[in-house]
Amino acid sequence: MIRILLADDQRLVRAGIRGILDDEDDLHVVAEAADGREALAACRELRPDVVLMDIRMPGMDGLEAARRIADNEQLAAVKVVMLTTFDLDEYVYDALRAGATGFLVKDTEPAELLHAVRVAARGDALISPSITRRLIAEFANRPGNTQQPDRRLDVLTGREREVMKLIAAGRTNDEIAAQLVVSPLTAKTHVSRILAKLGARDRSQVVVMAYEYRMVSPGWLAD
């Protein structure tokens, strides 16, 4: 059972999303929050698997709440998926840097929402339709985000660098395995080693690193 926390300042939005989630046998909404402070308190108390968090809320917004969740070692297993009204919300990239697993637009189709929650819960992939990759590329290359290659990347093997590029393209473990013609277990092992070597919380941070340190370029998408 995947335990979910909904955080949005609009009651009707929460009710709509809850209705979709609670219809599924493997999903359960354990609590709702109207702002970031309530969401953070609920995370500390209930330890949900996934938080669906609105970016823009009064008081403590979703971005700050996501950052505090990511900084709390006791909440390391909690995955945060940001909700936004606009598919080019300027805060999305900052949310990924703050530790969010990914983001969804609020008018996402129900099937995509359900898939996103399940993917986030298992930590398998950054939730990244093509718009996400374009946004990450755009904001990773805005003034102030240009960095030289990080020496930490030197610890990666050639194959691990290939895998990191595929992670940046939003590939799942199964898709990485198929593209590199290896077993899903081997792909998962490569991903785990990359996370450990780079000290990354999850795949979203690996994606951010790949763009920030010029491992991939704006608009790049693995074939």
Side-chain angles (χ1 to χ4, degrees):
M1 181 67 69
I2 299 174
R3 303 169 68 251
I4 304 160
L5 169 66
L6 295 179
D8 193 294
D9 61 317
Q10 298 183 43
R11 187 186 299 273
L12 286 177
V13 171
R14 298 200 307 268
I17 295 175
R18 182 166 197 151
I20 295 171
L21 298 175
D22 279 347
D23 279 343
E24 302 297 308
D25 293 338
D26 62 328
L27 306 178
H28 176 55
V29 177
V30 296
E32 298 182 17
D35 59 34
R37 195 171 302 281
E38 288 184 10
L40 184 58
C43 282
R44 289 168 175 162
E45 178 183 356
L46 301 172
R47 308 293 171 86
D49 301 303
V50 177
V51 181
L52 293 177
M53 181 100 71
D54 187 20
I55 289 183
R56 304 181 187 217
M57 294 184 288
M60 182 188 294
D61 63 15
L63 183 61
E64 178 61 23
R67 183 179 294 110
R68 295 194 187 192
I69 290 170
D71 288 343
N72 189 329
E73 293 183 0
Q74 295 181 342
L75 302 179
V78 177
K79 303 299 182 183
V80 178
V81 177
M82 307 303 297
L83 298 173
T84 176
T85 304
F86 308 103
D87 56 8
L88 287 178
D89 194 306
E90 64 182 13
Y91 296 112
V92 170
Y93 178 74
D94 291 332
L96 295 177
R97 294 194 70 183
T101 296
F103 82 100
L104 287 173
V105 180
K106 287 184 180 180
D107 62 359
T108 292
E109 292 296 323
E112 186 176 347
L113 170 66
L114 296 173
H115 175 68
V117 170
R118 292 178 176 121
V119 167
R122 68 174 182 256
D124 184 50
L126 171 70
I127 301 165
S128 55
S130 58
I131 188 68
T132 310
R133 291 193 293 273
R134 292 201 304 273
L135 184 145
I136 292 173
E138 176 185 348
F139 282 94
N141 288 277
R142 61 186 175 178
N145 282 339
T146 301
Q147 301 186 42
Q148 296 301 315
D150 194 318
R151 299 297 298 181
R152 285 180 297 176
L153 300 183
D154 292 345
V155 302
L156 301 181
T157 66
R159 177 48 65 100
E160 287 167 351
R161 285 173 177 265
E162 288 183 79
V163 172
M164 187 170 176
K165 288 184 178 181
L166 293 174
I167 293 173
R171 299 292 194 261
T172 66
N173 287 348
D174 287 345
E175 290 168 340
I176 291 172
Q179 184 151 343
L180 297 182
V181 194
V182 298
S183 72
L185 179 59
T186 297
K188 182 178 180 180
T189 298
H190 283 313
V191 172
S192 296
R193 287 176 178 169
I194 291 168
L195 291 173
K197 287 182 176 181
L198 297 181
R201 172 185 167 92
D202 57 23
R203 297 168 75 114
S204 66
Q205 290 192 335
V206 172
V207 173
V208 170
M209 288 181 183
Y211 280 93
E212 285 188 332
Y213 297 117
R214 298 299 189 271
M215 176 171 281
V216 293
S217 58
W220 177 88
L221 180 63
D223 297 324

